[in-house]
Amino acid sequence: MTLDFTCQKCEGTFEIDAQDLIDGSEKLECPHCNTRAPANVVDDFVAALTEMRAQVAALSKRFTLSTTLESEDLAELDADEDDDDDDDDDEDDVDEDEDEDDDDDDDDEDLDEDDEDLEDEDEER
């Protein structure tokens, strides 16, 4: 599997064989301007490539796969994830309100018990 890269700094293009990147014989570095990706990003990318290859191998028993993934497509995914995070925050607010209501129910139960205790005292008198 060949990966095609375009450097954001110099706009130079280059190719790297995925297996060379995975086994460490090739570095993710622009051959034109020597720009490198951060090591942690490269490590995560290599791990994702390794997992993808494993999953494609599993699928290959039934299907063949050809794919193109453009960085611009990922910008849309990032925006969607940000929207999902905002939705999650809203859900948390609702959950907190529900928790407060649950506390109120506990207080009501305590009041009911206090009323019963008062009634018992009245009956004893």
Side-chain angles (χ1 to χ4, degrees):
M1 173 173 38
T2 302
L3 304 170
D4 297 314
F5 292 93
T6 301
C7 179
Q8 296 291 330
K9 183 177 178 183
C10 72
E11 297 184 9
T13 60
F14 58 100
E15 294 181 348
I16 298 177
D17 185 78
Q19 185 57 45
D20 292 343
L21 193 59
I22 290 170
D23 65 24
S25 63
E26 188 83 36
K27 302 290 182 201
L28 183 48
E29 179 178 354
C30 176
H32 308 287
C33 69
N34 299 324
T35 296
R36 291 183 177 188
N40 62 328
V41 173
V42 173
D43 291 344
D44 290 346
F45 182 66
V46 168
L49 277 176
T50 304
E51 179 63 22
M52 182 178 169
R53 286 178 47 146
Q55 296 303 321
V56 169
L59 286 172
S60 70
K61 296 173 184 161
R62 305 264 180 187
F63 303 99
T64 58
L65 174 69
S66 175
T67 184
T68 301
L69 179 63
E70 302 290 336
S71 297
E72 293 83 22
D73 296 341
L74 300 178
E76 293 173 11
L77 291 176
D78 287 342
D80 290 344
E81 286 179 8
D82 290 343
D83 290 344
D84 290 344
D85 289 344
D86 292 343
D87 292 343
D88 290 345
D89 291 344
D90 294 342
E91 290 173 9
D92 291 343
D93 293 342
V94 171
D95 291 342
E96 289 173 6
D97 292 341
E98 289 174 3
D99 289 344
E100 289 174 8
D101 291 343
D102 290 344
D103 291 344
D104 291 343
D105 292 342
D106 292 341
D107 290 343
D108 291 344
E109 290 173 10
D110 291 342
L111 290 176
D112 290 342
E113 290 174 8
D114 289 343
D115 289 345
E116 290 174 6
D117 290 343
L118 288 174
E119 288 174 4
D120 289 342
E121 288 177 10
D122 286 343
E123 288 176 7
E124 290 175 4
R125 288 186 191 161

